[in-house]
Coordinates of all heavy atoms in Angstrom, one line a residue:
Q1 N 0.8 -1.2 0.0 CA 0.0 0.0 0.0 C 0.9 1.2 0.0 O 1.4 1.7 1.0 CB -0.9 0.0 1.2 CG -1.9 -1.2 1.3 CD -3.1 -0.9 0.4 OE1 -3.4 0.2 0.1 NE2 -3.6 -2.0 -0.1
S2 N 1.1 1.8 -1.2 CA 1.9 3.0 -1.3 C 1.1 4.2 -1.3 O 0.0 4.2 -1.8 CB 2.7 2.9 -2.6 OG 3.5 4.1 -2.8
E3 N 1.7 5.3 -0.8 CA 1.0 6.6 -0.8 C 1.5 7.5 -1.9 O 1.2 8.6 -2.1 CB 1.2 7.3 0.5 CG 0.5 6.6 1.7 CD 0.6 7.3 3.0 OE1 1.0 8.5 3.0 OE2 0.4 6.7 4.0
K4 N 2.4 6.9 -2.8 CA 3.0 7.6 -3.9 C 1.9 8.0 -4.9 O 1.0 7.3 -5.2 CB 4.1 6.8 -4.6 CG 5.3 6.6 -3.7 CD 6.3 5.8 -4.4 CE 7.5 5.5 -3.5 NZ 8.5 4.7 -4.2
V5 N 2.0 9.2 -5.5 CA 1.1 9.7 -6.4 C 1.8 10.1 -7.7 O 2.9 10.6 -7.7 CB 0.3 10.9 -5.9 CG1 -0.6 11.5 -6.9 CG2 -0.4 10.6 -4.6
C6 N 1.2 9.7 -8.8 CA 1.8 10.1 -10.1 C 1.0 11.2 -10.7 O -0.2 11.3 -10.6 CB 1.8 8.9 -11.0 SG 2.4 9.2 -12.7
A7 N 1.7 12.1 -11.4 CA 1.0 13.3 -12.0 C 1.7 13.5 -13.4 O 2.8 13.2 -13.6 CB 1.1 14.5 -11.2
V8 N 0.9 13.9 -14.3 CA 1.3 14.2 -15.7 C 1.3 15.7 -15.9 O 0.3 16.4 -15.4 CB 0.4 13.5 -16.7 CG1 0.9 13.9 -18.1 CG2 0.5 12.0 -16.5
G9 N 2.3 16.3 -16.5 CA 2.3 17.7 -16.7 C 3.0 18.0 -18.0 O 3.5 17.1 -18.7
V10 N 2.9 19.3 -18.4 CA 3.6 19.7 -19.6 C 5.1 19.8 -19.4 O 5.6 20.3 -18.4 CB 3.0 21.1 -20.0 CG1 3.7 21.7 -21.2 CG2 1.5 21.0 -20.2
A11 N 5.8 19.4 -20.4 CA 7.3 19.4 -20.3 C 7.8 20.8 -20.3 O 7.3 21.7 -21.0 CB 7.9 18.6 -21.5
G12 N 8.8 21.1 -19.5 CA 9.4 22.4 -19.5 C 10.3 22.6 -20.6 O 10.5 23.8 -21.1
T13 N 10.9 21.6 -21.1 CA 11.8 21.6 -22.3 C 11.3 20.6 -23.3 O 11.1 19.5 -23.0 CB 13.2 21.3 -21.9 OG1 13.6 22.1 -20.8 CG2 14.2 21.5 -23.1
S14 N 11.1 21.1 -24.5 CA 10.5 20.2 -25.6 C 11.3 20.3 -26.8 O 11.8 21.4 -27.2 CB 9.1 20.7 -25.9 OG 8.5 19.9 -26.8
G15 N 11.6 19.2 -27.4 CA 12.4 19.1 -28.7 C 13.8 18.6 -28.5 O 14.4 18.9 -27.4
L16 N 14.3 18.0 -29.5 CA 15.7 17.4 -29.4 C 16.7 18.5 -29.1 O 17.5 18.4 -28.2 CB 16.0 16.7 -30.7 CG 17.4 16.1 -30.8 CD1 17.6 15.1 -29.6 CD2 17.7 15.5 -32.1
E17 N 16.8 19.5 -30.0 CA 17.8 20.5 -29.8 C 17.7 21.2 -28.4 O 18.7 21.5 -27.8 CB 17.8 21.6 -30.9 CG 18.2 21.0 -32.3 CD 19.6 20.5 -32.3 OE1 20.5 21.2 -31.7 OE2 19.8 19.5 -32.9
A18 N 16.5 21.6 -28.0 CA 16.3 22.2 -26.7 C 16.8 21.3 -25.6 O 17.4 21.8 -24.6 CB 14.9 22.6 -26.5
N19 N 16.6 20.0 -25.6 CA 17.0 19.1 -24.6 C 18.5 18.9 -24.6 O 19.1 18.8 -23.6 CB 16.3 17.8 -24.7 CG 14.9 17.9 -24.0 OD1 14.9 17.9 -22.8 ND2 13.9 18.0 -24.8
I20 N 19.1 18.9 -25.8 CA 20.6 18.8 -25.9 C 21.2 20.1 -25.2 O 22.1 20.0 -24.4 CB 21.1 18.7 -27.3 CG1 20.7 17.2 -27.8 CG2 22.6 18.9 -27.4 CD1 21.0 17.0 -29.3
V21 N 20.7 21.3 -25.6 CA 21.2 22.5 -25.0 C 21.0 22.5 -23.5 O 21.9 22.9 -22.7 CB 20.5 23.7 -25.6 CG1 20.7 25.0 -24.8 CG2 20.9 23.9 -27.1
R22 N 19.9 22.0 -23.0 CA 19.6 21.9 -21.6 C 20.5 21.0 -20.8 O 21.0 21.4 -19.7 CB 18.1 21.5 -21.4 CG 17.8 21.0 -20.0 CD 16.7 21.7 -19.4 NE 16.2 21.2 -18.1 CZ 16.8 21.2 -17.0 NH1 18.0 21.8 -16.9 NH2 16.3 20.7 -15.9
Y23 N 20.9 19.9 -21.4 CA 21.6 18.9 -20.6 C 23.1 18.8 -21.0 O 23.9 18.3 -20.1 CB 21.0 17.5 -20.8 CG 19.7 17.4 -20.0 CD1 18.5 17.4 -20.7 CD2 19.7 17.4 -18.6 CE1 17.3 17.4 -20.0 CE2 18.5 17.3 -17.9 CZ 17.3 17.3 -18.6 OH 16.1 17.3 -17.9
R24 N 23.6 19.3 -22.1 CA 25.0 19.0 -22.5 C 26.0 19.6 -21.5 O 27.1 19.1 -21.3 CB 25.3 19.5 -23.9 CG 25.4 21.0 -24.0 CD 25.6 21.4 -25.5 NE 26.5 20.6 -26.2 CZ 26.7 20.7 -27.5 NH1 26.0 21.6 -28.2 NH2 27.5 20.0 -28.2
N25 N 25.7 20.7 -20.8 CA 26.5 21.4 -19.8 C 26.0 21.3 -18.4 O 26.4 22.0 -17.5 CB 26.8 22.8 -20.2 CG 27.5 23.0 -21.5 OD1 28.5 22.2 -21.8 ND2 27.0 23.9 -22.4
S26 N 25.0 20.4 -18.2 CA 24.4 20.2 -16.9 C 25.2 19.4 -16.0 O 25.9 18.5 -16.4 CB 23.0 19.5 -17.2 OG 22.4 19.1 -15.9
P27 N 25.1 19.6 -14.7 CA 25.8 18.8 -13.7 C 25.5 17.3 -13.8 O 26.3 16.5 -13.4 CB 25.4 19.4 -12.4 CG 25.1 20.8 -12.6 CD 24.5 20.8 -14.0
V28 N 24.3 17.0 -14.3 CA 24.0 15.6 -14.5 C 24.9 14.8 -15.5 O 25.1 13.6 -15.4 CB 22.5 15.4 -14.9 CG1 22.3 15.7 -16.4 CG2 22.0 14.0 -14.6
M29 N 25.6 15.6 -16.3 CA 26.6 15.0 -17.3 C 28.0 14.9 -16.7 O 28.9 14.5 -17.4 CB 26.6 15.8 -18.6 CG 25.2 15.9 -19.3 SD 24.6 14.3 -19.6 CE 25.5 13.9 -21.1
H30 N 28.2 15.3 -15.4 CA 29.5 15.3 -14.8 C 30.0 13.8 -14.7 O 29.2 12.9 -14.6 CB 29.4 15.9 -13.4 CG 30.7 16.1 -12.7 ND1 31.3 15.2 -11.9 CD2 31.6 17.2 -12.8 CE1 32.4 15.7 -11.4 NE2 32.6 16.9 -12.0
A31 N 31.3 13.7 -14.8 CA 31.9 12.3 -14.7 C 31.6 11.6 -13.5 O 31.6 10.3 -13.5 CB 33.5 12.5 -14.8
S32 N 31.3 12.2 -12.4 CA 30.9 11.5 -11.1 C 29.5 10.9 -11.1 O 29.2 10.1 -10.3 CB 31.1 12.5 -9.9 OG 30.1 13.5 -10.0
V33 N 28.7 11.3 -12.1 CA 27.3 10.8 -12.2 C 27.4 9.5 -13.0 O 27.9 9.5 -14.1 CB 26.4 11.8 -12.9 CG1 25.0 11.2 -13.1 CG2 26.3 13.1 -12.0
P34 N 26.8 8.4 -12.4 CA 26.8 7.1 -13.2 C 26.1 7.3 -14.5 O 25.1 8.0 -14.7 CB 26.0 6.2 -12.2 CG 26.1 6.8 -10.9 CD 26.2 8.3 -11.1
D35 N 26.6 6.6 -15.5 CA 26.2 6.7 -16.9 C 24.7 6.3 -17.0 O 24.0 7.0 -17.8 CB 27.0 5.7 -17.8 CG 26.8 6.0 -19.2 OD1 26.8 7.2 -19.6 OD2 26.5 5.1 -20.0
H36 N 24.2 5.4 -16.2 CA 22.8 5.0 -16.3 C 21.8 6.1 -15.8 O 20.6 6.0 -15.9 CB 22.5 3.6 -15.7 CG 22.6 3.7 -14.2 ND1 23.8 3.5 -13.5 CD2 21.6 3.8 -13.2 CE1 23.5 3.6 -12.2 NE2 22.3 3.8 -12.0
M37 N 22.4 7.1 -15.2 CA 21.5 8.2 -14.6 C 21.5 9.4 -15.6 O 20.9 10.4 -15.3 CB 22.0 8.6 -13.2 CG 21.9 7.5 -12.2 SD 22.6 7.9 -10.7 CE 21.1 7.9 -9.7
K38 N 22.3 9.3 -16.7 CA 22.4 10.5 -17.6 C 21.4 10.4 -18.7 O 21.0 9.2 -19.1 CB 23.8 10.5 -18.2 CG 24.9 10.8 -17.1 CD 26.3 10.7 -17.8 CE 27.3 11.0 -16.7 NZ 28.7 11.0 -17.3
P39 N 21.0 11.5 -19.3 CA 20.1 11.4 -20.4 C 20.9 10.8 -21.6 O 22.1 10.8 -21.7 CB 19.8 12.9 -20.7 CG 20.9 13.7 -20.1 CD 21.4 12.9 -18.9
I40 N 20.1 10.1 -22.5 CA 20.7 9.5 -23.7 C 20.0 9.9 -24.9 O 18.9 10.4 -24.9 CB 20.7 7.9 -23.6 CG1 19.2 7.4 -23.5 CG2 21.5 7.5 -22.4 CD1 19.1 5.9 -23.7
L41 N 20.6 9.7 -26.0 CA 20.0 9.9 -27.4 C 19.9 8.6 -28.0 O 20.8 7.8 -28.0 CB 20.9 10.8 -28.2 CG 21.1 12.3 -27.8 CD1 22.1 13.0 -28.7 CD2 19.8 13.0 -27.7
L42 N 18.8 8.4 -28.7 CA 18.6 7.1 -29.4 C 18.4 7.4 -30.8 O 17.6 8.3 -31.2 CB 17.4 6.4 -28.8 CG 17.5 5.9 -27.4 CD1 16.1 5.3 -26.9 CD2 18.6 4.9 -27.2
C43 N 19.0 6.6 -31.7 CA 18.8 6.8 -33.1 C 17.4 6.2 -33.5 O 16.8 5.5 -32.7 CB 19.9 6.0 -33.9 SG 21.6 6.6 -33.6
S44 N 17.0 6.4 -34.7 CA 15.7 5.9 -35.2 C 15.7 4.3 -35.2 O 14.6 3.8 -35.0 CB 15.4 6.4 -36.6 OG 16.4 6.0 -37.5
N45 N 16.9 3.7 -35.2 CA 16.9 2.2 -35.1 C 17.0 1.7 -33.7 O 17.1 0.5 -33.5 CB 18.1 1.7 -35.9 CG 19.4 2.2 -35.4 OD1 19.5 2.8 -34.4 ND2 20.5 1.8 -36.1
G46 N 16.9 2.6 -32.7 CA 16.9 2.2 -31.3 C 18.2 2.1 -30.7 O 18.3 1.9 -29.5
L47 N 19.3 2.3 -31.4 CA 20.6 2.2 -30.9 C 21.0 3.6 -30.2 O 20.6 4.6 -30.7 CB 21.7 1.9 -31.9 CG 21.5 0.5 -32.6 CD1 22.5 0.3 -33.7 CD2 21.6 -0.6 -31.5
R48 N 21.8 3.5 -29.2 CA 22.3 4.7 -28.5 C 23.3 5.5 -29.3 O 24.2 4.9 -29.9 CB 22.9 4.3 -27.2 CG 23.2 5.4 -26.2 CD 23.6 5.0 -24.9 NE 23.9 6.1 -24.0 CZ 24.1 6.0 -22.7 NH1 24.1 4.8 -22.2 NH2 24.3 7.0 -22.0
A49 N 23.1 6.8 -29.4 CA 24.0 7.7 -30.1 C 24.8 8.5 -29.0 O 24.3 8.7 -27.9 CB 23.2 8.7 -31.0
A50 N 26.0 8.9 -29.4 CA 26.8 9.7 -28.5 C 26.1 11.1 -28.2 O 25.6 11.7 -29.1 CB 28.2 9.9 -29.1
F51 N 26.1 11.4 -26.9 CA 25.5 12.7 -26.6 C 26.6 13.8 -26.9 O 27.8 13.6 -26.7 CB 25.3 12.8 -25.1 CG 24.2 13.8 -24.7 CD1 22.9 13.4 -24.6 CD2 24.5 15.1 -24.4 CE1 21.9 14.3 -24.3 CE2 23.5 16.0 -24.0 CZ 22.2 15.6 -24.0
P52 N 26.2 14.9 -27.5 CA 27.2 15.9 -27.9 C 28.0 16.4 -26.7 O 27.5 16.5 -25.5 CB 26.3 17.1 -28.4 CG 25.0 16.4 -28.8 CD 24.8 15.3 -27.9
P53 N 29.3 16.6 -26.9 CA 30.2 17.0 -25.7 C 29.8 18.3 -25.2 O 29.2 19.2 -25.8 CB 31.6 17.0 -26.3 CG 31.3 17.2 -27.8 CD 30.0 16.6 -28.1
A54 N 30.2 18.5 -23.9 CA 30.0 19.8 -23.2 C 30.8 20.9 -23.9 O 31.8 20.7 -24.5 CB 30.4 19.7 -21.8
T55 N 30.2 22.1 -23.8 CA 30.9 23.3 -24.4 C 31.6 24.1 -23.3 O 32.3 25.1 -23.6 CB 29.9 24.1 -25.2 OG1 28.9 24.5 -24.3 CG2 29.4 23.4 -26.4
T56 N 31.3 23.7 -22.0 CA 32.0 24.4 -20.9 C 32.4 23.4 -19.9 O 32.0 22.2 -20.0 CB 31.0 25.4 -20.2 OG1 29.9 24.6 -19.7 CG2 30.5 26.4 -21.2
R57 N 33.1 23.8 -18.9 CA 33.5 22.9 -17.8 C 32.3 22.6 -17.0 O 31.5 23.4 -16.6 CB 34.5 23.5 -16.9 CG 35.0 22.7 -15.8 CD 36.1 23.4 -15.0 NE 36.4 22.6 -13.8 CZ 35.8 22.8 -12.6 NH1 34.9 23.8 -12.5 NH2 36.1 22.1 -11.5
I58 N 32.0 21.3 -16.7 CA 30.8 20.8 -16.0 C 31.1 20.8 -14.5 O 32.0 20.1 -14.1 CB 30.3 19.5 -16.5 CG1 29.9 19.6 -18.0 CG2 29.1 19.0 -15.7 CD1 29.5 18.3 -18.6
K59 N 30.3 21.4 -13.7 CA 30.4 21.4 -12.3 C 29.8 20.1 -11.7 O 28.9 19.6 -12.3 CB 29.6 22.6 -11.7 CG 30.2 23.9 -12.0 CD 29.4 25.0 -11.3 CE 29.8 26.4 -11.7 NZ 29.0 27.4 -11.2
A60 N 30.4 19.6 -10.6 CA 29.8 18.5 -10.0 C 28.4 18.7 -9.5 O 28.1 19.9 -9.1 CB 30.8 18.0 -8.8
P61 N 27.6 17.8 -9.5 CA 26.2 18.0 -9.0 C 26.1 18.2 -7.5 O 27.0 17.7 -6.8 CB 25.5 16.7 -9.4 CG 26.5 15.7 -9.5 CD 27.8 16.4 -10.0
R62 N 25.2 19.0 -7.1 CA 24.9 19.2 -5.7 C 24.2 18.0 -5.2 O 23.3 17.4 -5.9 CB 24.1 20.5 -5.4 CG 24.9 21.7 -5.8 CD 24.1 23.0 -5.5 NE 22.9 22.9 -6.3 CZ 21.8 23.7 -6.1 NH1 21.9 24.7 -5.2 NH2 20.7 23.6 -6.8
L63 N 24.4 17.7 -3.9 CA 23.7 16.5 -3.3 C 22.4 16.9 -2.8 O 22.3 17.9 -2.0 CB 24.6 16.0 -2.2 CG 24.1 14.8 -1.4 CD1 23.9 13.6 -2.4 CD2 25.0 14.4 -0.3
H64 N 21.3 16.2 -3.1 CA 20.0 16.5 -2.6 C 19.5 15.2 -2.0 O 19.5 14.1 -2.6 CB 19.0 16.9 -3.7 CG 19.3 18.2 -4.3 ND1 19.0 19.4 -3.8 CD2 20.0 18.5 -5.5 CE1 19.4 20.4 -4.5 NE2 20.0 19.8 -5.6
C65 N 19.1 15.2 -0.7 CA 18.6 14.1 0.0 C 17.2 14.2 0.2 O 16.6 15.3 0.4 CB 19.4 13.9 1.3 SG 21.1 13.5 1.1
D66 N 16.5 13.1 0.3 CA 15.1 13.0 0.6 C 14.8 13.5 2.0 O 15.3 12.9 2.9 CB 14.5 11.6 0.3 CG 13.0 11.6 0.4 OD1 12.4 12.5 1.0 OD2 12.5 10.5 0.0
S67 N 14.1 14.6 2.2 CA 13.8 15.1 3.6 C 13.0 14.1 4.4 O 12.9 14.2 5.6 CB 13.2 16.4 3.5 OG 11.9 16.3 2.9
R68 N 12.4 13.1 3.7 CA 11.5 12.2 4.5 C 12.3 10.9 4.8 O 11.8 9.9 5.3 CB 10.4 11.7 3.6 CG 9.4 12.9 3.2 CD 8.5 12.5 2.2 NE 9.2 12.3 0.9 CZ 8.7 11.8 -0.2 NH1 7.5 11.4 -0.2 NH2 9.5 11.6 -1.2
A69 N 13.7 11.0 4.7 CA 14.5 9.8 5.0 C 14.3 9.4 6.5 O 13.9 10.2 7.3 CB 16.0 10.2 4.8
S70 N 14.5 8.1 6.7 CA 14.3 7.5 8.0 C 15.1 8.2 9.1 O 16.2 8.6 9.0 CB 14.7 6.1 7.9 OG 14.7 5.5 9.2
S71 N 14.4 8.5 10.2 CA 15.1 9.1 11.3 C 16.0 8.2 12.0 O 16.8 8.6 12.9 CB 14.0 9.6 12.4 OG 13.3 8.5 12.8
A72 N 16.0 6.9 11.7 CA 17.0 5.9 12.2 C 18.4 6.2 11.7 O 19.3 5.8 12.3 CB 16.5 4.5 11.9
L73 N 18.5 6.9 10.6 CA 19.8 7.2 10.1 C 20.5 8.2 11.0 O 19.9 9.2 11.3 CB 19.8 7.7 8.7 CG 19.2 6.8 7.6 CD1 19.1 7.5 6.3 CD2 20.1 5.6 7.5
S74 N 21.7 8.0 11.3 CA 22.4 9.0 12.2 C 22.6 10.4 11.4 O 22.5 11.4 12.0 CB 23.7 8.5 12.6 OG 24.6 8.2 11.5
S75 N 22.8 10.3 10.2 CA 23.0 11.5 9.4 C 22.5 11.2 8.0 O 23.1 10.5 7.2 CB 24.4 12.0 9.4 OG 24.6 13.0 8.4
T76 N 21.4 11.8 7.6 CA 20.8 11.6 6.3 C 21.8 12.0 5.2 O 22.0 11.3 4.2 CB 19.5 12.3 6.1 OG1 18.6 11.9 7.1 CG2 18.9 12.1 4.8
A77 N 22.4 13.2 5.4 CA 23.4 13.7 4.4 C 24.5 12.7 4.2 O 25.0 12.4 3.1 CB 23.9 15.0 4.7
D78 N 25.1 12.2 5.3 CA 26.2 11.2 5.2 C 25.8 10.0 4.5 O 26.5 9.4 3.7 CB 26.7 10.9 6.6 CG 27.5 12.0 7.2 OD1 27.9 12.9 6.5 OD2 27.7 12.0 8.5
Q79 N 24.5 9.5 4.8 CA 24.0 8.3 4.1 C 23.9 8.5 2.6 O 24.3 7.7 1.8 CB 22.7 7.9 4.7 CG 22.1 6.7 4.0 CD 22.8 5.4 4.3 OE1 23.4 5.3 5.4 NE2 22.9 4.6 3.3
C80 N 23.4 9.7 2.2 CA 23.2 10.0 0.8 C 24.5 10.1 0.1 O 24.7 9.6 -1.0 CB 22.4 11.3 0.6 SG 20.7 11.2 1.1
R81 N 25.5 10.8 0.8 CA 26.8 10.9 0.2 C 27.4 9.5 0.0 O 28.0 9.2 -1.0 CB 27.7 11.7 1.0 CG 27.6 13.2 0.7 CD 28.7 14.0 1.4 NE 28.5 14.1 2.8 CZ 27.7 15.0 3.4 NH1 27.0 15.8 2.7 NH2 27.6 15.0 4.7
G82 N 27.3 8.6 1.0 CA 27.8 7.3 0.9 C 27.1 6.5 -0.2 O 27.8 5.8 -0.9
D83 N 25.8 6.6 -0.3 CA 25.1 5.9 -1.3 C 25.5 6.3 -2.7 O 25.8 5.5 -3.6 CB 23.6 6.1 -1.2 CG 23.0 5.4 0.0 OD1 23.7 4.6 0.6 OD2 21.8 5.7 0.3
F84 N 25.7 7.6 -2.9 CA 26.1 8.2 -4.2 C 27.5 7.7 -4.5 O 27.8 7.3 -5.6 CB 26.1 9.7 -4.2 CG 26.3 10.3 -5.5 CD1 25.3 10.3 -6.5 CD2 27.5 10.9 -5.8 CE1 25.6 10.8 -7.8 CE2 27.8 11.4 -7.1 CZ 26.8 11.4 -8.0
A85 N 28.4 7.7 -3.5 CA 29.8 7.3 -3.8 C 29.9 5.8 -4.1 O 30.6 5.4 -5.0 CB 30.7 7.6 -2.5
Q86 N 29.1 5.0 -3.4 CA 29.0 3.6 -3.7 C 28.5 3.3 -5.1 O 29.0 2.5 -5.8 CB 28.2 2.8 -2.7 CG 28.8 2.7 -1.3 CD 27.8 2.1 -0.3 OE1 26.7 1.8 -0.6 NE2 28.3 1.9 0.9
Q87 N 27.5 4.0 -5.5 CA 26.9 3.9 -6.8 C 27.9 4.3 -7.9 O 28.1 3.6 -8.9 CB 25.6 4.7 -7.0 CG 24.9 4.5 -8.3 CD 24.4 3.1 -8.5 OE1 24.1 2.4 -7.6 NE2 24.4 2.7 -9.8
A88 N 28.6 5.4 -7.7 CA 29.6 5.8 -8.6 C 30.7 4.8 -8.7 O 31.2 4.5 -9.8 CB 30.2 7.2 -8.2
E89 N 31.1 4.2 -7.6 CA 32.2 3.2 -7.6 C 31.8 1.9 -8.4 O 32.5 1.4 -9.1 CB 32.6 2.9 -6.2 CG 33.8 2.0 -6.1 CD 35.1 2.6 -6.7 OE1 35.3 3.8 -6.6 OE2 35.9 1.9 -7.3
R90 N 30.5 1.5 -8.2 CA 30.0 0.3 -8.8 C 29.9 0.5 -10.3 O 30.1 -0.5 -11.1 CB 28.6 -0.1 -8.3 CG 28.7 -0.8 -6.9 CD 27.3 -1.4 -6.7 NE 26.2 -0.5 -6.6 CZ 25.8 0.1 -5.5 NH1 26.4 -0.1 -4.3 NH2 24.8 1.0 -5.5
T91 N 29.6 1.7 -10.8 CA 29.4 1.9 -12.2 C 30.7 2.4 -12.9 O 30.7 2.6 -14.1 CB 28.3 2.9 -12.4 OG1 28.6 4.2 -11.8 CG2 27.0 2.4 -11.9
R92 N 31.8 2.6 -12.2 CA 33.0 3.1 -12.8 C 33.5 2.1 -13.8 O 33.5 0.9 -13.6 CB 34.1 3.3 -11.7 CG 35.3 4.1 -12.2 CD 36.3 4.4 -11.1 NE 35.7 4.8 -9.8 CZ 35.4 6.1 -9.6 NH1 35.5 7.0 -10.5 NH2 34.8 6.5 -8.4
G93 N 33.9 2.5 -15.0 CA 34.4 1.6 -16.0 C 33.4 1.2 -17.0 O 33.7 0.5 -17.9
Y94 N 32.1 1.6 -16.8 CA 31.1 1.2 -17.8 C 31.2 2.0 -19.0 O 31.6 3.1 -19.1 CB 29.7 1.4 -17.2 CG 29.2 0.2 -16.3 CD1 29.6 0.2 -15.0 CD2 28.5 -0.8 -16.9 CE1 29.2 -0.8 -14.2 CE2 28.1 -1.8 -16.1 CZ 28.5 -1.9 -14.7 OH 28.1 -2.9 -14.0

């Protein structure tokens, strides 16, 4: 029994070129972010295409933790940092 709710809304960014501009220099494209969490481009045949390279130096992403995290954790921020570091380590080399 989940209390999660799904909502549909209008996209803030629409179109291929607009999304490339939005994400190519975004912190989500930083080397510390696991590849499976980054946006991808797909060709018409369904194969993955290379995302255009950044045009500026990409800053590391800021850490955001779920404010509803369990109070049993001694430090939510430390837990989130540890989870992110573990995920990055597991996906290194992909």
Side-chain angles (χ1 to χ4, degrees):
Q1 297 283 333
S2 176
E3 294 181 18
K4 294 180 181 178
V5 177
C6 178
V8 177
V10 178
T13 305
S14 181
L16 177 62
E17 291 299 321
N19 276 286
I20 289 173
V21 168
R22 163 125 171 70
Y23 288 106
R24 77 185 315 171
N25 296 317
S26 169
V28 75
M29 299 303 280
H30 190 266
S32 67
V33 175
D35 194 48
H36 71 273
M37 298 175 114
K38 295 178 180 181
I40 63 170
L41 294 177
L42 297 174
C43 297
S44 59
N45 62 6
L47 296 177
R48 189 172 180 172
F51 205 90
T55 58
T56 63
R57 183 176 168 268
I58 298 176
K59 295 179 183 177
R62 294 182 302 170
L63 180 64
H64 295 278
C65 293
D66 188 344
S67 62
R68 298 169 292 170
S70 171
S71 61
L73 297 173
S74 61
S75 169
T76 303
D78 287 344
Q79 179 66 36
C80 290
R81 273 191 289 279
D83 290 348
F84 187 76
Q86 287 175 356
Q87 183 65 30
E89 188 61 35
R90 281 195 299 268
T91 58
R92 193 174 315 279
Y94 278 87

